[in-house]
Amino acid sequence: MGDYLDKLIRGIEHFLGRRKEPPKKIPLWRTCLWSFLGAFIGVSVLEILFTYTPAFQDQQVPMIAASCGASAVLVYAATEAPLAQPRALMGGNLIASFISVCIHKLLLEINTPEQYVVATRWIGGAFSVSLTVVCMQITKTTHPPSGATALLPFATTEIGNLGWLYIGIMMLSSTLLLVVALLVDNIERRYPVYWWAPVVPASVSPPKNDLENSFASNDSSRETITENSQQLMIFGELVSAEKLHAHEEEALRNIVTRLQTS
């Protein structure tokens, strides 16, 4: 029972992108194959769901939001890119959909005069995208397809009419794309590289170089010269000065002097 549970836990961790070692490099054709399968399955799931589910049909939800196609490119073909990680995918689309709906309601759902509707649309679209970009930068959730997510309610009347439902549609779409990515991308590749923030290895103080180590303890270890043997301590080893040319010995002494005074 214990072994079975351990295998189950390792399997779950594997499909959550956790690895003790990075995955082995695979040929390009296999990378392309998994990218194709991931994108095909992910996009198909969304299209089937929104096309054939009665609840979505009643709300006149479009077959798919165009920005999901761009998200698919990242999560299935650029699995190691920071812009494709779950925080960016989910956070970017949440911010973009929320901002776009708020601005759409503020500008286009307050009995805007007909002659100003076109101007209001392009102003609202530009402002929505710009504000989304800034918010994604602040929250470290930059996801390029979210720019299209922010623009769609102003560019497409069908999506603009969804109102607050648009936020739920985008979050459901992002979640399904993520689930498919976890299943397909982790067969021979790895996704995600991280969930919230990159894992930074614990900082290790770089070791002093050999010259510094050989001269760090005390003055006698920095330069060992005796009248009888005329030896130098170099890289932790005694070297007879007789084996050095005059210019080499002089250069080494200059280095020793420079280290002692630094």
Side-chain angles (χ1 to χ4, degrees):
M1 182 65 181
D3 292 340
Y4 175 79
L5 185 59
D6 289 340
K7 290 180 180 179
L8 177 62
I9 293 174
R10 286 197 299 269
I12 293 174
E13 288 181 342
H14 178 86
F15 283 97
L16 290 178
R18 295 181 179 178
R19 302 282 196 284
K20 291 183 179 179
E21 297 180 357
K24 297 180 180 179
K25 188 174 182 180
I26 60 176
L28 178 60
W29 70 267
R30 273 156 63 184
T31 300
C32 294
L33 174 64
W34 292 122
S35 298
F36 172 84
L37 289 175
F40 182 84
I41 295 171
V43 173
S44 295
V45 166
L46 298 185
E47 292 175 331
I48 293 171
L49 175 67
F50 295 125
T51 300
Y52 297 108
T53 302
F56 293 126
Q57 290 178 337
D58 294 341
Q59 297 294 329
Q60 297 183 339
V61 175
M63 180 175 65
I64 192 171
S67 59
C68 292
S71 293
V73 173
L74 286 175
V75 298
Y76 301 122
T79 57
E80 296 182 356
L83 304 177
Q85 303 310 305
R87 178 176 178 176
L89 171 66
M90 303 299 295
N93 280 331
L94 175 61
I95 290 171
S97 57
F98 178 77
I99 288 176
S100 62
V101 171
C102 288
I103 296 176
H104 188 275
K105 286 187 170 295
L106 181 63
L107 298 181
L108 292 172
E109 298 183 26
I110 53 172
N111 297 323
T112 304
E114 187 66 29
Q115 63 268 30
Y116 299 124
V117 169
V118 174
T120 303
R121 281 189 177 280
W122 70 256
I123 292 173
F127 184 67
S128 178
V129 173
S130 302
L131 186 57
T132 295
V133 168
V134 173
C135 290
M136 288 193 296
Q137 287 179 311
I138 293 172
T139 57
K140 297 180 181 180
T141 56
T142 300
H143 185 63
S146 297
T149 300
L151 187 61
L152 282 173
F154 298 93
T156 307
T157 304
E158 186 180 16
I159 291 181
N161 292 338
L162 292 175
W164 298 112
L165 180 60
Y166 179 56
I167 301 174
I169 295 298
M170 287 309 306
M171 295 315 298
L172 177 59
S173 299
S174 301
T175 301
L176 292 175
L177 289 175
L178 175 59
V179 170
V180 173
L182 293 176
L183 296 175
V184 176
D185 291 350
N186 283 303
I187 295 176
E188 284 193 303
R189 298 179 294 172
R190 179 188 178 187
Y191 179 85
V193 178
Y194 59 86
W195 282 86
W196 187 252
V199 178
V200 180
S203 58
V204 179
S205 300
K208 296 180 179 180
N209 58 50
D210 291 334
L211 277 176
E212 287 183 276
N213 285 332
S214 64
F215 300 132
S217 57
N218 51 53
D219 291 341
S220 61
S221 65
R222 292 175 182 168
E223 182 181 12
T224 304
I225 304 176
T226 64
E227 294 181 357
N228 297 327
S229 61
Q230 288 294 312
Q231 293 178 322
L232 293 175
M233 179 75 76
I234 302 175
F235 297 109
E237 297 182 2
L238 288 174
V239 177
S240 175
E242 296 177 356
K243 296 181 180 181
L244 301 173
H245 294 291
H247 68 278
E248 293 174 333
E249 182 180 351
E250 182 181 358
L252 287 172
R253 292 181 186 277
N254 290 336
I255 293 174
V256 170
T257 302
R258 189 178 307 167
L259 288 173
Q260 289 175 338
T261 56
S262 61

